């Protein structure tokens, strides 16, 4: 290859004509050479033209074209070489751009990212073309003069955008004479590394560990006043793309925004759905959405979303068939058209015409008070439904939401609320129970709630009749504004009570309960009866009872004081219940009963007492606390604890005692809650302090104190002796007073007065028939002080006086004169102490003096009278009470003599001295 070398000629002192001549010769030589060798022996003429150098951040971009006609002769790859030049920082070949023959003549570009901010120093770019070992001359383009040259100190780049976790090199341009801080402390930045680039420029490489808070992170080398604001954040991290349709004419896609980029104000994320930019419908929440119009599509397809900011880009994909992802709009124009007592017709409209062909399922949310119930209804293009089983005379709030029956994707939003009020009806049947208080029966019922009255309750009607007395007119009572009625019933009879409630629509169904008679309560003990306290309530359980044909009834009431019983009815297939009442009070004992509901009277299954919560018993429980000393023991006793004062079950008692001025305590206890005393033994003669407490599940409580001073044992005997003496003196005094007041009566009983003897003779006694009383001359002469004769009639063998039998009023009770016996009248003979041959054969007994009268033919009979051979004087020595009265007959048996009776008086026979 031959080359036309350029020739530089210098002419000195020659004329211009000679210069022009040589130039022409050289030109001809060169022209001849080029014609023979073409482009092989010269500089490449196809070179870049129209250079344009620009920058963005730290990126340098160069664009150029080839306009020289010689470039059309290039039939192979044309290569452009590029070099970036920086002062005091040599950079080798930076890059190459290859241009194909078909691209020649078009615009070409090249970019290069600088490791430093372009403001740190001046940058320039050189470019040349190369073809078949021939190169074009270098062309150079300058871009940024550099702040170092402009004498503007600071940290560069300014307002840069960086990703968390990356490393970046800042440059620090210092003022003249300023020192560089090789390790500045910058909040939000990690480790750093620095090096000097030029006299006044240093490179500072830092690790970006934290996102920028609030606005940006201030990066500085010497002073915060000369720093740079760095925005540190994340690229997009969106996820979970889901696409659906609401009107079957457009697609709506939703996704979840991942970690917040923290640089949205500096570089907001841009979204594209299917390549079309969509406006972000997010409201700052984690869920974002985008909607675009699409043609109706019946198959599956890919739905692609891209999210991009200056720090990065993410692409999300969802594959779905929109016909299976219909998210319906909420129903519109809600209306309750037909309203009855227990049902209503509900209607609504659709805003999308395509819904009329869809198989739809709708949920109706029925709200009343605090209760919410959801019912479902189905149908093609469903636009109305009928709601049944509503509560009469009740306010309702309804909302509706719908979805497709097949391929259920999502429910629509709830519709607007429609309100209505159902018509009234008769009340529901009452819940009735009973309670016995003394000799009264209280009929109880629960007043209907608002959802049970179905109108305004006017009154209640109670009907009572004896069980089995059908046909008789029952007793009716009307009750106003009350939930009970007290009845006075014959407790020996069984009664049937019926209660109904009445409002403006009529009366409820009757509720009947049987009141048992007052005979011993029918009880069927249920084994396994248990109770557990649970958060202010009771959990009960019991064994099933065959008698419970209609379920069970649980009632409860405080054990102390008057109360109105509360109750709960349980279904027959349940054997447990949780009872709760707003009236439950801690520390109050309740009596809980479980009954079996039968066709007749309820049957008591079991009863139990318990507390909802046991509480500590107040101190001073033992108000009657006393003590007594027994030798060296002290018994502390108290009255029985009233249940009203027990706020917990008492499980026993503990007696503590300690001697005065001593810290040593002793105790004795009992686990029997019925005990009312405890004894401290083996005490010394000293002062003691006693403390009595009750043991409960919540600890020892009810503390009561008492002090005692023990006396010596000799002192203890004084009191019993004094008490005995006083008792004896009192008894003697009482006897003395009683004897003094009743002395007359006592004397009469102990030593009665002896009456004077009186002898009464019959009036018809004949003188010639009278036998004189002969007294033995050896016998002691009787000095009779007085002998009186009274005329007394004789009637039927008895001596009478004034028509009455004669009887002694001075003899002891029961001693009366007996009838006169018929016998031969004896002769009166003298009384002797020993007269065996005496003519007296019978004995006349005088209770006081033992006077003997015998006949000659009769022997004395044994008995209380004197026997033969008995000394009369000896018999006078003691008093013998009269046990029988003998009658003496003085008359002949042949003649009907007049009868003489001996009055039961006494004949005094004085004793010989």
């Amino acid at each position: 290859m031959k080359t036309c070398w350029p020739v530089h000629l210098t002419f000195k002192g020659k004329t211009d004509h000679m210069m022009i001549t040589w130039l022409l010769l050289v030109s001809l030589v060169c022209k001849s050479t080029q014609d023979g060798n073409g482009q092989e022996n010269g500089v490449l003429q196809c070179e870049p033209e129209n250079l344009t150098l620009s920058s963005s951040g730290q990126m340098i971009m160069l664009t150029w074209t080839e306009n020289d006609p010689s470039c059309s002769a290039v039939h192979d790859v044309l290569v452009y070489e590029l070099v970036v030049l920086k002062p005091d920082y040599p950079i080798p070949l930076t890059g190459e751009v290859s241009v194909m023959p078909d691209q020649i003549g078009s615009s070409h570009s090249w970019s290069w990212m600088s490791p430093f901010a372009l403001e740190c120093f001046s940058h320039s770019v050189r470019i040349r073309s190369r073809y078949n070992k021939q190169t074009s001359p270098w062309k150079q383009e300058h871009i940024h003069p550099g702040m170092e040259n402009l004498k503007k100190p600071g940290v560069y780049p300014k307002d840069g955008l960086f990703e968390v976790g990356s490393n970046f090199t800042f440059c620090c341009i210092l003022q003249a004479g300023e020192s560089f801080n090789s390790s500045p402390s910058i909040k939000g930045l990690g480790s750093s590394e620095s090096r000097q680039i030029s006299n006044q420029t240093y490179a500072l490489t830092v690790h970006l560990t934290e996102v920028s808070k609030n606005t940006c992170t201030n990066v500085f080398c010497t002073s915060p006043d000369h720093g740079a604001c760095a925005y540190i954040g994340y690229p997009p991290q969106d996820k979970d793309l889901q696409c659906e349709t609401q009107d079957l004419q457009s697609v709506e896609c939703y996704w979840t925004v991942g970690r917040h980029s923290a640089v949205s104000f500096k570089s907001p994320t841009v979204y594209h759905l299917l390549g079309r930019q969509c406006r972000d419908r997010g409201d700052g929440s984690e869920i974002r959405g985008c909607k675009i119009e699409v043609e109706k599509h019946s198959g599956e397809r890919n739905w692609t979303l891209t999210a991009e900011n200056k720090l990065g880009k993410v692409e999300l994909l969802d594959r779905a068939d929109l016909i299976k992802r219909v998210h319906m709009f909420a129903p519109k124009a809600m209306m309750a058209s037909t309203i009855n007592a227990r049902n209503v017709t509900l209607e609504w409209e659709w805003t999308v015409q395509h819904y009329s062909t869809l198989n739809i399922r709708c949920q109706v949310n029925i709200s009343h008070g605090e209760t919410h119930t959801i019912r479902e209804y189905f149908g093609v293009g469903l636009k109305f439904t009928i709601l049944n089983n509503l509560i009469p005379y009740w306010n309702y709030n309804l909302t509706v939401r719908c979805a497709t029956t097949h391929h259920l994707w999502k429910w629509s939003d709830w519709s607007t609320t429609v309100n209505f009020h159902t018509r009234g009806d008769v009340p529901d049947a009452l819940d009735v129970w009973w309670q016995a208080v003394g000799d009264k029966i209280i009929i109880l019922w629960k007043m209907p709630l608002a959802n049970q009255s179905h109108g305004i309750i006017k009154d209640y009607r109670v009907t009572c009749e004896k069980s089995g007395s059908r046909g008789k007119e029952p007793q009716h009572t009307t009750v106003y504004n009350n939930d009970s009625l007290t009845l006075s019933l014959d407790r020996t009879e069984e009664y049937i009570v019926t209660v109904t409630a009445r409002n403006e629509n009529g009366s409820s169904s009757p509720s009947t309960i049987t009141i048992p008679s007052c005979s011993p309560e029918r009880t069927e003990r249920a084994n396994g009866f248990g109770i557990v306290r649970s958060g202010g309530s009771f959990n009960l359980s019991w064994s099933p009872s065959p008698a419970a044909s209609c379920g069970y009834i649980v009632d409860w009431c405080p054990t102390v004081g008057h109360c109105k019983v509360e109750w709960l009815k349980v279904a027959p297939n349940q054997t447990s219940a949780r009872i709760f009442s707003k009236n439950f009070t801690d520390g109050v004992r309740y009596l809980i009963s479980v009954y079996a509901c039968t066709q007749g009277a309820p049957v008591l299954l079991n009863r139990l007492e318990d507390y909802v919560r046991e509480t500590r018993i107040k101190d001073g429980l033992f108000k009657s606390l006393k003590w007594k000393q027994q030798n060296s023991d002290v018994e502390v006793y108290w009255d029985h604890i009233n249940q009203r004062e027990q706020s917990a079950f008492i499980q026993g008692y503990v007696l503590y005692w300690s001697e005065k001025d001593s810290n040593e305590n002793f105790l004795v206890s009992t686990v029997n809650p019925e005990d009312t005393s405890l004894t401290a033994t083996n005490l010394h003669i000293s002062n003691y302090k006693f403390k009595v407490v009750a043991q409960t599940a919540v600890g020892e409580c009810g503390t009561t104190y008492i002090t005692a001073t023990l006396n010596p044992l000799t002192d203890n005997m004084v009191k019993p002796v004094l008490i005995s003496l006083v008792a004896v003196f009192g008894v003697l005094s009482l006897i003395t007073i009683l004897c003094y007041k009743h002395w007359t009566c006592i004397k009469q009983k102990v030593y009665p007065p002896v009456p004077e003897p009186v002898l009464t003779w019959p009036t018809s006694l004949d003188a010639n028939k009278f036998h004189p009383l002969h007294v033995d001359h050896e016998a002691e002469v009787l000095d009779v002080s007085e002998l009186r004769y009274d005329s007394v009639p004789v009637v039927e063998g008895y001596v009478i006086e004034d028509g009455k039998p004669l009887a002694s009023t001075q003899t002891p009770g029961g001693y009366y004169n007996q009838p006169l016996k018929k016998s031969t009248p004896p002769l009166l003979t003298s009384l002797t102490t020993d007269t065996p041959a005496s003519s007296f054969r019978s004995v006349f007994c005088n209770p006081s003096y033992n006077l003997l009268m015998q006949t000659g033919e009769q022997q004395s009979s044994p008995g209380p009278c004197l026997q033969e051979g008995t000394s009369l004087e000896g018999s006078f020595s003691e008093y013998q009470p009269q046990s029988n009265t003998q009658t003496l007959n003085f008359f002949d048996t042949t003649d009907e003599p007049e009868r003489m009776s001996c009055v039961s008086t006494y004949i005094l026979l004085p004793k010989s001295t």
Side-chain angles (χ1 to χ4, degrees), residues 566-635:
E566 298 181 74
W567 71 94
L568 174 69
K569 293 187 176 179
V570 183
N573 58 346
Q574 295 183 6
T575 55
S576 62
R578 178 180 181 268
I579 60 175
F580 173 79
S581 173
K582 62 181 181 180
N583 299 321
F584 278 156
T585 304
D586 295 347
V588 175
R589 188 183 299 187
Y590 291 89
L591 176 63
I592 304 170
S593 306
V594 178
Y595 292 85
C597 176
T598 67
Q599 298 300 322
V603 177
L604 178 65
L605 297 181
N606 217 324
R607 273 183 176 158
L608 194 65
E609 293 182 1
D610 203 355
Y611 294 87
V612 176
R613 291 187 184 92
E614 294 184 78
T615 60
R616 292 187 58 84
I617 302 175
K618 295 180 180 179
D619 291 343
L621 174 65
F622 307 90
K623 295 182 175 58
S624 60
L625 193 62
K626 298 178 182 179
W627 67 279
K628 60 182 178 181
Q629 181 179 353
Q630 298 175 349
N631 298 328
S632 62
D633 301 339
V634 171
E635 180 184 7

Side-chain angles (χ1 to χ4, degrees), residues 146-163:
M147 293 300 176
E148 182 181 18
N149 298 331
L150 298 178
K151 307 299 181 183
K152 290 185 177 181
V155 178
Y156 298 95
K158 303 285 187 182
D159 301 331
L161 186 63
F162 310 99
E163 184 177 354

Side-chain angles (χ1 to χ4, degrees), residues 589-836:
R589 188 183 299 187
Y590 291 89
L591 176 63
I592 304 170
S593 306
V594 178
Y595 292 85
C597 176
T598 67
Q599 298 300 322
V603 177
L604 178 65
L605 297 181
N606 217 324
R607 273 183 176 158
L608 194 65
E609 293 182 1
D610 203 355
Y611 294 87
V612 176
R613 291 187 184 92
E614 294 184 78
T615 60
R616 292 187 58 84
I617 302 175
K618 295 180 180 179
D619 291 343
L621 174 65
F622 307 90
K623 295 182 175 58
S624 60
L625 193 62
K626 298 178 182 179
W627 67 279
K628 60 182 178 181
Q629 181 179 353
Q630 298 175 349
N631 298 328
S632 62
D633 301 339
V634 171
E635 180 184 7
V636 178
Y637 58 96
W638 57 89
D639 292 340
H640 183 75
I641 304 300
N642 194 323
Q643 192 180 107
R644 187 184 299 272
E645 300 176 359
Q646 300 182 29
S647 58
F649 286 116
I650 295 179
Q651 302 171 356
Y653 304 97
V654 181
L655 173 64
Y656 296 91
W657 71 88
S658 62
E659 197 170 351
K660 186 178 180 181
D661 301 330
S662 174
N663 295 326
E664 187 176 7
N665 292 317
F666 302 91
L667 65 90
V668 64
S669 63
T670 177
V671 294
N672 184 4
E674 299 299 324
D675 287 345
T676 57
S677 67
L678 287 170
T679 302
T681 59
N682 301 323
L683 303 183
H684 303 294
I685 304 302
S686 180
N687 294 327
Y688 285 89
K689 182 178 182 180
F690 295 93
K691 179 179 74 172
V692 183
V693 298
Q695 291 180 317
T696 67
V698 294
E700 295 182 348
C701 47
T703 305
T704 307
Y705 293 93
I706 189 174
T707 58
T709 301
L710 271 64
N711 298 318
L713 298 180
T714 56
D715 295 344
N716 294 336
M717 297 178 61
V718 175
K719 185 176 179 180
V721 170
L722 292 177
I723 293 175
S724 300
L725 291 176
V726 171
V728 171
F729 178 77
V731 172
L732 293 176
S733 299
L734 180 62
I735 293 174
T736 303
I737 294 172
L738 293 176
C739 290
Y740 177 77
K741 288 186 176 182
H742 301 85
W743 175 248
T744 304
C745 180
I746 294 173
K747 183 179 179 182
Q748 181 73 23
K749 296 293 184 182
V750 175
Y751 186 71
V754 179
E756 295 181 352
V758 177
L759 184 61
T760 304
W761 300 97
T763 55
S764 59
L765 188 61
D766 198 344
N768 57 1
K769 294 183 180 181
F770 178 76
H771 302 277
L773 179 62
H774 298 279
V775 180
D776 192 356
H777 66 276
E778 295 180 0
E780 194 173 6
V781 178
L782 298 179
D783 184 10
V784 181
S785 60
E786 182 180 2
L787 184 63
R788 293 179 297 180
Y789 171 78
D790 291 334
S791 176
V792 179
V794 177
V795 179
E796 297 182 357
Y798 291 91
V799 179
I800 63 172
E801 181 179 333
D802 296 334
K804 300 179 181 179
L806 287 176
S808 172
T809 59
Q810 298 179 0
T811 56
Y815 291 90
Y816 296 98
N817 292 326
Q818 301 299 318
L820 294 175
K821 298 182 184 286
K822 294 182 180 180
S823 62
T824 306
L827 296 177
L828 291 177
T829 60
S830 64
L831 297 176
T832 61
T833 58
D834 189 9
T835 54

Side-chain angles (χ1 to χ4, degrees), residues 45-50 64-72 74 78-80 97-108 129:
Q45 298 298 317
C46 183
E47 58 183 4
E49 296 182 357
N50 302 323
W64 69 93
T65 60
E66 315 91 350
N67 294 328
D68 193 287
S70 62
C71 294
S72 60
V74 175
L78 179 65
V79 178
Y80 291 95
V97 175
S98 299
V99 178
M100 302 302 292
D102 59 343
Q103 295 177 336
I104 294 178
S106 62
S107 178
H108 311 294
S129 61

Side-chain angles (χ1 to χ4, degrees), residues 318-369:
D318 183 29
R319 183 172 181 82
D321 183 358
L322 293 183
I323 200 65
K324 298 179 181 179
R325 291 191 178 182
V326 179
H327 185 193
M328 301 181 67
F329 288 106
K332 301 293 183 180
M334 297 288 299
M335 180 181 63
S337 57
T338 304
I339 302 174
N340 297 314
R342 299 181 184 271
N343 60 70
V344 65
T345 300
L346 186 64
E347 300 179 358
W348 60 88
E349 296 179 359
W350 296 115
T351 57
V352 177
Q353 186 65 29
H354 294 291
Y355 289 177
S356 60
T357 60
L358 295 179
N359 197 340
I360 299 174
R361 64 191 302 179
C362 292
Q363 288 185 339
V364 180
N365 183 15
I366 306 173
S367 302
H368 51 95

Side-chain angles (χ1 to χ4, degrees), residues 44 61 73 91 231 291 300 468 483 502 507 535 561 619 709 813 866:
L44 184 62
M61 292 173 290
I91 300 178
Y231 295 92
K291 179 180 180 180
E300 287 188 353
D483 59 354
R502 187 172 66 91
S507 297
D619 291 343
T709 301
L866 292 177

